[in-house]
Amino acid sequence: MNLPIRVRLAVWFVTLLALTVAALGAFLVIQLRADLLGAIDEEVRFGSQELSESIIEDPSQNGEVHEGPGDQMRDFKDDAEAILSPSGSVAQLLDSSGRPLVAYGAAVGARPMVSDRVRAAALTGPAQTLTLSFGDQDRYRARVSLLRIKGEERVLVVAESLRPVDNAVRRVVALLLVAGPSAFVVTGLAAYWLAYRALRPVEQITTDAQEIGIDRLDDRLAVPRPNDETRRLAITLNAMLARIEQGVLEKRRLLADASHELRTPLAIMRNEIDVALLVDEMSPAAREVLRSSREEVDRMTRTIDNLITSAQVDEGRLELLTTPVDMRQLLDDAVRALRPLADAKNVRLVVHGDRWEVQVDPPRLQLVLTNLIDNAVKYSPHGTTVRIETWSNDEEICVSVTDEGPGIFAADAQHLFDRFYRAGSLTADPGGSGLGLAICREVVVAHGGRIWVDSTPGQGSTFSLALPSWRSLQPQAPAAPADIDGVRPSGDG
Ligand code: ADP
């Protein structure tokens, strides 16, 4: 079941209450009925006995004094009226063949109140109490007993209506049917509210925990004051957060240390390869191997630089040593470094745009531009062009890097600048760490700028960054032609 706990608790409470009320109600009704029947049985037994005695003692009815049938009837009625309860009581005296002799009560007609079988049983056996239905279709509790008057056998039936019992039971059932559902509704609402209150601290812990991201690992959950399960939960989660934080810090330290260790040997290798490439007498194959090794060393150096920058951001010590530089110059340097990579894929790198002076930390911004252009080359199909452009709106100096690659889905675009995010592939995955764009954003934001991507899946992407305006070096200069200053179509040699 996917229902929230508070709804489930409310449903359980109501179900339990319904079962309890049903069981209790059934017991109550059965017991009430039995008690009322017992009382009525006692009444008819008593009435029957009293009436028998008065009939036997009454000379007119027992045949000692002969009167007309009308007088007999009157005497019987008088006795019954005196003995039996005034409402709902009836009585009848039958001879042994079942013929009614006298009767009392409006409901009793001319027909015998009991069947032949019951009368026969009364004639041969002890008095019996049973439930009857006759005349007005009401149910009666009846006492059927044998009277011997001067050797004559008579059957006396004394009965009392069960209508009061049925009414009382019906009233109780109706009350239960009305009160039960109301109680269910009230209990359900109360259970829901109680569960909601009880779970509120858990809800709060969940909300707080959701807000603690990898970048806020020193945050802790508020610990509820009452010493109950929620307090223990919060304490346990906080202890877990502390362990995670410790682990992450250790991992970051290890990464930072390892990156620093790797940087120096890589720089030495790069220099040695450069020196080796200066040697004239070298076979083209050997030269190609060296060039390829140098590209790999460059790429590793960039990854190491990203890791070091990310460690500095984590430790809150990304300090910028800013100086005014020509953005275009930074771009050209980045393009120059990546040209061998682009050439190897037959990708054209084209730089457009004016020279704008920006106030930046040059190596850091260099890393950003290199990451963006490296990505563009990496995701570009063979033989396509990557356009890099400097431009400005009035407040910002901007750079855009546009490729003709696979593009990016809108759903991925909003996460691309998160650390270690790697988009679901629109093309074969060229491999990577998912760190480059995150570093770009951190460095650009540290410079007070912004970075974003525009993309149409299948048609390419444009990654842009904007830095607060410093001043243009040549504000009036017309836009530079496409392939300027060291920028040439790849494959030219
Ligand atoms: P990676 O080392 O994986 O390239 P990045 O942070 O540089 O890490 O990039 C994150 C993800 O962004 C990449 O995995 C890729 O899916 C997507 N991406 C980056 N640049 C481009 C681009 N120019 N074209 C298409 N997808 C790109």
Side-chain angles (χ1 to χ4, degrees), residues 375 378-379 403 408 416 421-423 432-437 461 463:
N375 273 351
K378 196 159 72 172
Y379 291 97
D403 63 51
I408 290 150
L416 278 193
Y421 186 85
R422 312 209 50 240
S433 60
L435 200 57
L437 289 179
S461 336
F463 284 82

Side-chain angles (χ1 to χ4, degrees), residues 74 128 194 288 375:
R74 203 176 320 112
Q128 48 181 321
L194 280 178
E288 191 46 45
N375 273 351

Side-chain angles (χ1 to χ4, degrees), residues 216-237:
R216 281 179 49 193
L217 277 179
D218 53 336
D219 260 16
R220 292 293 176 268
L221 303 168
V223 178
R225 208 168 303 154
N227 191 10
D228 58 9
E229 289 87 343
T230 52
R231 183 181 171 88
R232 284 197 289 284
L233 176 67
I235 290 175
T236 308
L237 287 178

Side-chain angles (χ1 to χ4, degrees), residues 136-252:
D136 54 8
Q137 296 304 311
D138 259 8
R139 292 176 337 122
Y140 284 81
R141 204 56 188 159
R143 177 87 177 169
V144 186
S145 53
L146 174 67
L147 289 188
R148 267 181 229 285
I149 305 170
K150 289 268 166 193
E152 298 260 15
E153 287 182 329
R154 299 275 187 269
V155 173
L156 174 66
V157 184
V158 174
E160 193 165 329
S161 170
L162 281 178
R163 186 180 285 198
V165 177
D166 289 342
N167 282 348
V169 169
R170 217 171 291 136
R171 246 194 325 273
V172 169
V173 170
L175 263 176
L176 283 173
L177 286 181
V178 172
S182 321
F184 300 158
V185 171
V186 172
T187 309
L189 291 177
Y192 182 89
W193 183 76
L194 280 178
Y196 168 77
R197 275 203 54 151
L199 289 174
R200 211 163 40 182
V202 177
E203 202 77 43
Q204 187 61 46
I205 289 175
T206 310
T207 315
D208 291 352
Q210 272 166 352
E211 280 167 12
I212 299 182
I214 194 83
D215 51 333
R216 281 179 49 193
L217 277 179
D218 53 336
D219 260 16
R220 292 293 176 268
L221 303 168
V223 178
R225 208 168 303 154
N227 191 10
D228 58 9
E229 289 87 343
T230 52
R231 183 181 171 88
R232 284 197 289 284
L233 176 67
I235 290 175
T236 308
L237 287 178
N238 277 344
M240 196 176 81
L241 275 175
R243 288 197 297 276
I244 292 175
E245 185 188 13
Q246 183 66 21
V248 169
L249 286 181
E250 276 167 16
K251 207 182 81 190
R252 280 182 189 161

Side-chain angles (χ1 to χ4, degrees), residues 114 143 146 212 256 260 405 409 481 490:
V114 290
R143 177 87 177 169
L146 174 67
I212 299 182
H260 277 289
F409 286 122
S490 63

